[in-house]
Amino acid sequence: MSVPHLISFDICPYVQRAVITLLEKGVPFERTYIDLANKPDWFLALSPLGKVPVLKVGDEVLFESAVIAEYLDETTEPRLHPTDPLQKAKHRAWIEFASAGLMSLWNFYVAADDKAFAAARADIESKLDRLESVLGDGPLFAGTSFSLVDAAFGPFFRYFPVLESLGETGWFDGRPKVKRWADALLSRPSVREAVQAGYADKLTAFIKKKEGVLAARVANSR
Ligand SMILES: N[C@@H](CCC(=O)N[C@@H](CS)C(=O)NCC(=O)O)C(=O)O
């Protein structure tokens, strides 16, 4: 049987969730990168929402990162989702929260005026506060065993070193549990290897192209 084939974009955080899950499980896979600014026809024919990730499994096409992660989890070891229905539902809910966090980050780095920029920063900070209030002893979401929630948050935390390099700092001040979780994820091989060398430069270039408040501040400080 052919190996799963992941259709990717180089800085997409949702794609990274699938890659992290595949790497944690040691599942061999093929990866094809596309340019979302210039989507190939074969991709548009394949992807019902025109979004990555898409995972091809034989002739079948899966889309939506949470669905892809659960499919991989149900078909390969080790299991990263809890088996208890309540715990599993809770993990799914926090994966949704990670997606909301990615939206907040997007709103921050594309914000076109100071008001939107400040509101997006406050929104991210309130989400970090919420995380601080639910985390346990760590270092991971559910203690010491890696879960799909960790796979969803690895790409979320990857934004912060880049934002810090652009002068936006202080995200983890007073949030030691979130900091410990972010550090644990960002040093984990599956999370590190989910992007290629040059990721930070590519994200920085993407942010600059958006020409928002953050891009202008970076330009003015140089
Ligand atoms: N809910 C989707 C979100 C995926 C998503 O938004 N992917 C972005 C790239 S990170 C995309 O393909 N956007 C389409 C576009 O930019 O045209 C998932 O979890 O897979």
Side-chain angles (χ1 to χ4, degrees):
M1 191 166 145
S2 58
V3 299
H5 185 171
L6 185 68
I7 317 300
S8 306
F9 174 61
D10 51 15
I11 55 168
C12 176
Y14 299 96
V15 168
Q16 291 172 46
R17 295 175 170 186
V19 178
I20 293 166
T21 306
L22 288 156
L23 292 176
E24 285 288 336
K25 289 165 173 283
V27 175
F29 63 102
E30 266 183 77
R31 189 167 181 175
T32 297
Y33 290 90
I34 60 159
D35 179 4
L36 282 177
N38 191 11
K39 296 176 190 170
D41 289 342
W42 63 262
F43 171 72
L44 289 171
L46 205 63
S47 173
L49 295 174
K51 293 180 181 179
V52 289
V54 164
L55 188 73
K56 278 189 77 185
V57 183
D59 291 335
E60 300 285 355
V61 172
L62 299 180
F63 57 104
E64 286 298 318
S65 61
V67 174
I68 291 170
E70 288 206 19
Y71 163 74
L72 292 169
D73 200 46
E74 286 174 6
T75 52
T76 54
E77 299 289 338
R79 294 296 166 92
L80 302 178
H81 237 350
T83 46
D84 173 69
L86 183 60
Q87 288 307 314
K88 191 192 286 190
K90 188 179 132 186
H91 279 222
R92 286 186 177 129
W94 285 101
I95 290 167
E96 272 301 309
F97 189 86
S99 300
L102 289 172
M103 275 319 296
S104 305
L105 282 164
W106 169 271
N107 291 338
F108 180 69
Y109 63 74
V110 305
D113 59 57
D114 286 341
K115 198 170 158 220
F117 188 67
R121 171 133 193 163
D123 179 28
I124 297 166
E125 297 222 22
S126 93
K127 287 192 168 67
L128 295 173
D129 281 339
R130 178 61 73 132
L131 289 175
E132 185 70 20
S133 74
V134 297
L135 287 172
D137 292 339
L140 300 171
F141 179 73
T144 52
S145 56
F146 191 88
S147 68
L148 292 183
V149 181
D150 296 298
F153 273 93
F156 169 79
F157 287 125
R158 199 194 301 284
Y159 281 87
F160 293 95
V162 176
L163 296 179
E164 283 162 3
S165 77
L166 299 177
E168 286 297 315
T169 58
W171 300 99
F172 301 117
D173 295 353
R175 300 177 180 117
K177 291 179 175 177
V178 182
K179 167 91 175 105
R180 183 181 54 201
W181 190 24
D183 287 348
L185 289 179
L186 293 179
S187 62
R188 194 162 175 108
S190 64
V191 176
R192 295 174 71 96
E193 289 160 23
V195 291
Q196 293 179 305
Y199 163 86
D201 290 343
K202 281 184 183 157
L203 178 58
T204 303
F206 187 81
I207 291 172
K208 287 184 180 160
K209 227 167 115 186
K210 292 287 165 201
E211 295 183 346
V213 172
L214 183 57
R217 287 191 186 188
V218 174
N220 292 337
S221 68
R222 300 252 154 101

